[in-house]
Amino acid sequence: MIEIEKNSTQLGGLGRPGAAMGTVASTGITQSNGASDLVTAHIRGQEITTNQLKANYLDRSDIKPTRKRYLILLLFCLHSAINAAQWIYLSSITSTVSKYYQVDNMAVNWTSMVYMLVYIPLVVPSTWLFERIGMRDSILLGSLGTTLGSFIKCFSCQPGRFGLLMSGQTLVAVSQLFVLSVPPRLASVWFPDHQVSLANACGVFGNQFGIALGFVVPPLLIDEGLGSIEQISSSLFQLFVGIALFSGTVSLLIMFLFDRTPSKPPGLARLQQIKQEEALAEAGAEPLVIDGQKSTSSHGGFGALLWDLFTDINFVLLMASYGLNVGVFYAISTVLNQMISQQWTNANSLVGQLGPLLVVSGMFGSVISGLILDRTRMYRLVNASLYTFSLVSMVLFTATLEWHNMVALYLVVILLGYFMTGYLFIGYEMSNEITWPRPESVTAGLLNLSAQVFGVVLTYLGSYIVDNYGNLLANIFFVVSLSCGLFITLMIRAQLKRQSAMGS
């Protein structure tokens, strides 16, 4: 039986990244209120104080970042990119796909929305599996699933095979469950403390790069002016085969080059986690994961962890605000072709330019935000600022579409992408701060769950409104959604627990 008691003495460095906070049903752990509070653990009648758990933390010789961390990050980014590209690549040529398969716009948009839909019921079991088998095997599983789904779509290049197309797309969508939660975990396991935020941003960067490719490549291969079904079939086959071969190559690289963990912890936070796990294991507490970030006890701890997170009001508020922001981004990305085709000719070509601007500017937003956070640690200010500017940019986007000015549209899309896509990473980092030392993969998974729920609802309603009532009403709907998200963001009042533990 493990029992945690709060004492009045203050210490820095308490807790373990990737460990559950709160009550763990199987072991009886009761969380203290502050990440920096001194605690005493009674494990099977044996008392272990925080000082004992920290006894050998200050041996900096145990810390050594490895250069291979950059290869690990690159492999993950390639895998994330090829999966993310398939989220949007058919919606970026909605009119052509609709014509070829003889389905309506909403059916084509479901190739995007299926990514969000499958995430909702599967995020909890996939997160549990992630914690069980570890990060490396989870990434490999997702990569193999992406490759298989990509090859299935190669056989769907006939007008009557939209169902087969959706089967392959659904398998790729399921595989993204082992992508979206990885960046914060990979950053904490492989990178030193001063690079964690930047590495997290680069992990998100890979996903956004894939989305940009999904906007750029299809319009280049499949021109809106293609007249015959045979020409469209040939172009689609080239697109599907190219993606499948690239995905297969990445899977092989991950299989042979992606290590489970570095030989030594890269930073103090990771070292603290490993040492505490060792101390608890010696005292009789069994870890959940052996080869990755170990988290909760093996019996019932995962359910208790979820309960603990869902009863944390600040995390629930963050889930709602993050879901609204990212959900609007998903919706805008999906229905962009529908919006543009109502007011401009050659919509595929224009979306093929606007989509990448939306995403690439967001990549820079993510990386610059990561640099700012690493230097300033001003999490609340950066979080609220990005959300505010996301709302302002959405208002400008709404006005620009009605204004019909091409130059202004390009500029506003850059702003919208910079702030809205840049927020994807900030949400992860804010979550890590206010929930530390809970497992990053679990908190990131729940953030993404919220994003998928809001994404499905906002995309479906946005697509319906655009087709039936026009762009203006749809964009007003998105502005209102972001306004609600900003209000919720300003309500978050949480301690930055990871920074307190690191003494920042």
Side-chain angles (χ1 to χ4, degrees), residues 74-96:
L74 174 62
L75 290 176
F76 169 73
C77 287
L78 291 175
H79 163 46
S80 179
I82 200 63
N83 183 281
Q86 297 180 71
W87 165 58
I88 201 65
Y89 73 151
L90 294 175
S91 292
S92 69
I93 50 172
T94 299
S95 54
T96 301

Side-chain angles (χ1 to χ4, degrees), residues 3-30:
E3 203 178 302
I4 303 289
E5 303 171 2
K6 178 181 176 185
N7 295 318
S8 58
T9 306
Q10 298 294 309
L11 280 178
L14 175 62
R16 51 193 172 96
M21 295 177 68
T23 302
V24 180
S26 62
T27 56
I29 297 177
T30 305

Side-chain angles (χ1 to χ4, degrees), residues 18-27 29 121-132 181 185 286-289 293-310 438-446:
M21 295 177 68
T23 302
V24 180
S26 62
T27 56
I29 297 177
L122 296 180
V123 60
V124 172
S126 67
T127 302
W128 176 87
L129 181 62
F130 189 107
E131 292 296 318
R132 281 284 173 181
S181 303
R185 171 65 64 87
E286 298 179 0
L288 177 61
V289 179
Q293 272 194 317
K294 295 169 276 190
S295 53
T296 66
S297 297
S298 57
H299 303 287
F302 187 74
L305 169 61
L306 293 179
W307 173 257
D308 187 40
L309 288 170
F310 280 117
R438 299 169 175 118
E440 293 95 336
S441 62
V442 177
T443 55
L446 293 177

Side-chain angles (χ1 to χ4, degrees), residues 485-502:
L486 177 59
F487 176 75
I488 295 171
T489 296
L490 297 177
M491 293 174 61
I492 298 174
R493 295 286 186 271
Q495 177 189 3
L496 301 181
K497 298 171 183 174
R498 185 174 63 178
Q499 297 305 311
S500 297
M502 292 170 58

Side-chain angles (χ1 to χ4, degrees), residues 243-283:
I243 287 177
L245 291 176
F246 184 83
S247 181
T249 302
V250 173
S251 294
L252 290 175
L253 291 173
I254 291 174
M255 187 178 299
F256 293 108
L257 299 178
F258 200 109
D259 295 340
R260 293 185 182 277
T261 56
S263 56
K264 287 189 175 184
L268 181 61
R270 176 64 174 160
L271 179 63
Q272 286 179 335
Q273 174 215 343
I274 293 173
K275 296 299 184 182
Q276 286 194 13
E277 287 290 351
E278 290 175 352
L280 291 173
E282 289 175 3

Side-chain angles (χ1 to χ4, degrees), residues 93-381:
I93 50 172
T94 299
S95 54
T96 301
V97 175
S98 175
K99 170 187 173 182
Y100 178 74
Y101 287 105
Q102 298 178 352
V103 295
D104 59 18
N105 288 340
M106 184 64 75
V108 178
N109 285 340
W110 271 110
T111 64
S112 171
M113 287 193 288
V114 70
Y115 266 66
M116 310 172 210
L117 189 64
V118 299
Y119 196 95
I120 297 169
L122 296 180
V123 60
V124 172
S126 67
T127 302
W128 176 87
L129 181 62
F130 189 107
E131 292 296 318
R132 281 284 173 181
I133 68 177
M135 177 173 61
R136 186 261 182 190
D137 290 344
S138 296
I139 292 174
L140 179 59
L141 181 62
S143 184
L144 292 174
T146 300
T147 299
L148 179 58
S150 300
F151 274 106
I152 289 175
K153 287 186 281 188
C154 294
F155 299 96
S156 68
C157 297
Q158 289 187 17
R161 295 184 178 178
F162 187 75
L164 183 60
L165 173 69
M166 283 301 301
S167 298
Q169 186 75 353
T170 301
L171 181 55
V172 176
V174 171
S175 301
Q176 61 134 1
L177 289 153
F178 301 102
V179 173
L180 296 182
S181 303
V182 170
R185 171 65 64 87
L186 188 148
S188 66
V189 170
W190 281 93
F191 285 81
D193 298 333
H194 69 282
Q195 291 182 341
V196 166
S197 294
L198 182 58
N200 193 356
C202 290
V204 176
F205 182 101
N207 192 269
Q208 300 308 305
F209 179 71
I211 296 174
L213 290 178
F215 276 114
V216 172
V217 176
L220 292 178
L221 289 178
I222 306 170
D223 191 274
E224 195 171 12
L226 289 177
S228 69
I229 295 298
E230 290 75 17
Q231 289 176 314
I232 299 177
S233 293
S234 176
S235 297
L236 279 176
F237 184 73
Q238 293 177 35
L239 177 64
F240 292 159
V241 169
I243 287 177
L245 291 176
F246 184 83
S247 181
T249 302
V250 173
S251 294
L252 290 175
L253 291 173
I254 291 174
M255 187 178 299
F256 293 108
L257 299 178
F258 200 109
D259 295 340
R260 293 185 182 277
T261 56
S263 56
K264 287 189 175 184
L268 181 61
R270 176 64 174 160
L271 179 63
Q272 286 179 335
Q273 174 215 343
I274 293 173
K275 296 299 184 182
Q276 286 194 13
E277 287 290 351
E278 290 175 352
L280 291 173
E282 289 175 3
E286 298 179 0
L288 177 61
V289 179
I290 300 301
D291 61 341
Q293 272 194 317
K294 295 169 276 190
S295 53
T296 66
S297 297
S298 57
H299 303 287
F302 187 74
L305 169 61
L306 293 179
W307 173 257
D308 187 40
L309 288 170
F310 280 117
T311 54
D312 183 338
I313 183 61
N314 287 297
F315 181 68
V316 172
L317 290 174
L318 179 62
M319 280 183 63
S321 62
Y322 182 87
L324 283 166
N325 189 298
V326 180
V328 169
F329 168 73
Y330 287 165
I332 290 291
S333 300
T334 304
V335 304
L336 187 59
N337 186 283
Q338 286 175 255
M339 288 184 172
I340 298 301
S341 63
Q342 288 196 2
Q343 298 177 335
W344 278 278
T345 58
N346 198 19
N348 283 2
S349 177
L350 184 55
V351 171
Q353 298 169 26
L354 293 176
L357 285 178
L358 182 71
V359 178
V360 172
S361 60
M363 294 182 196
F364 288 102
S366 294
V367 173
I368 291 173
S369 298
L371 290 172
I372 292 173
L373 287 184
D374 277 335
R375 292 178 180 274
T376 68
R377 307 296 181 184
M378 301 174 67
Y379 287 84
R380 295 190 187 93
L381 178 60

